[in-house]
Amino acid sequence: MTDRARTIVFLAAAVPALVLAAAAGRWRLYADRHRIELTPRPRRSCPACRCAGGWWTGGAFPEMEACGCWAHRRELRVRLLPIPALNGPPF
């Protein structure tokens, strides 16, 4: 089996699973010709952040502290085509 055939078989199995996971509502699906990504989203029923994803800490330089309902989950990424390198300056 060639690499291309293996890739097609893998995508035929992986893409429906990714779409079902995104439809569950806790994941954001992004797809283009170079990759398919699933990134976690905050839970709607989270009592700590109320689906905002976090909260701002006080001080002179405020920063956002991410809520644990989404920040500690992994991103899933399937690489499809390599991104072409630039050969020279774009101008």
Side-chain angles (χ1 to χ4, degrees):
M1 186 183 280
T2 65
D3 288 337
R4 184 179 176 108
R6 252 185 253 142
T7 303
I8 291 171
V9 169
F10 172 74
L11 288 176
V15 170
L18 293 174
V19 170
L20 285 175
R26 293 187 183 173
W27 297 90
R28 182 176 308 139
L29 177 67
Y30 174 80
D32 65 5
R33 60 186 279 181
H34 300 291
R35 67 189 172 275
I36 300 172
E37 290 182 354
L38 277 176
T39 54
R41 295 176 56 190
R43 282 189 343 218
R44 292 182 188 152
S45 62
C46 179
C49 70
R50 298 183 181 96
C51 194
W55 48 88
W56 291 97
T57 59
F61 301 104
E63 293 182 359
M64 183 177 174
E65 185 174 336
C67 183
C69 70
W70 70 275
H72 303 298
R73 294 189 322 201
R74 293 178 46 181
E75 292 181 358
L76 305 171
R77 187 173 295 149
V78 177
R79 187 171 164 197
L80 302 176
L81 294 173
I83 298 174
L86 294 176
N87 293 336
F91 45 87

